Amino acid sequence: GEGHIAADQDELPASSRNPLVRFFMFCVTFYHVVPMSLYVMYEMLKLVLAYQVNVDKQMYDPVRDQMAQARTAEVMEEMGQVNFLFSDKTGTLTANEM
C-alpha cells in the first residue's frame, strides 16, 4: 500500500514468496550486522582483559610499590608474542641493571 516501507504479500513476485528465498534475502540484507557486533564485542573483551591485568594482585611489584599497568588494549595479544625468556646459568631470573 501507499506509505508502507515493507511490501505486502500480494505485491511480491512469486519467487520471493518462497521461504527459502526470503531467508537468503534476509541473509544478504543483514550480512554486515554480525561481523560488526563481533568486532565490538572483541574490542570490549580486550578492555576487560586489560582491566583485569591492572587489578591483578599477583602482578604487584613490591620494589617499586606499583601494580601492573596495561597501557594499551592490545596487551593480551602482545603478551602472546613472548618467545624467549633469558635466565642465568643457575636458572634464576636476574635483573638487567647496569
Side-chain angles (χ1 to χ4, degrees):
E2 191 174 325
H4 293 277
I5 294 174
D8 294 330
Q9 285 292 335
D10 55 341
E11 294 176 359
L12 294 174
S15 62
S16 62
R17 287 189 205 131
N18 182 345
L20 188 61
V21 172
R22 301 248 331 175
F23 173 74
F24 284 114
M25 285 173 59
F26 175 80
C27 289
V28 168
T29 304
F30 293 105
Y31 77 96
H32 62 285
V33 173
V34 172
M36 183 60 73
S37 63
L38 285 176
Y39 178 74
V40 169
M41 288 303 296
Y42 180 66
E43 292 297 321
M44 290 174 58
L45 176 66
K46 288 196 299 189
L47 290 174
V48 168
L49 291 175
Y51 172 75
Q52 287 180 342
V53 166
N54 288 340
V55 298
D56 189 358
K57 291 182 180 17
Q58 292 180 340
M59 297 184 84
Y60 172 73
D61 182 13
V63 174
R64 289 192 266 157
D65 191 33
Q66 279 186 323
M67 299 288 287
Q69 287 184 336
R71 292 192 171 99
T72 68
E74 287 82 23
V75 143
M76 297 304 138
E77 297 166 10
E78 293 170 6
M79 287 175 65
Q81 295 177 3
V82 174
N83 290 325
F84 301 101
L85 185 63
F86 295 103
S87 65
D88 62 8
K89 59 185 169 184
T90 63
T92 59
L93 297 176
T94 58
N96 191 10
E97 296 177 5
M98 303 279 288

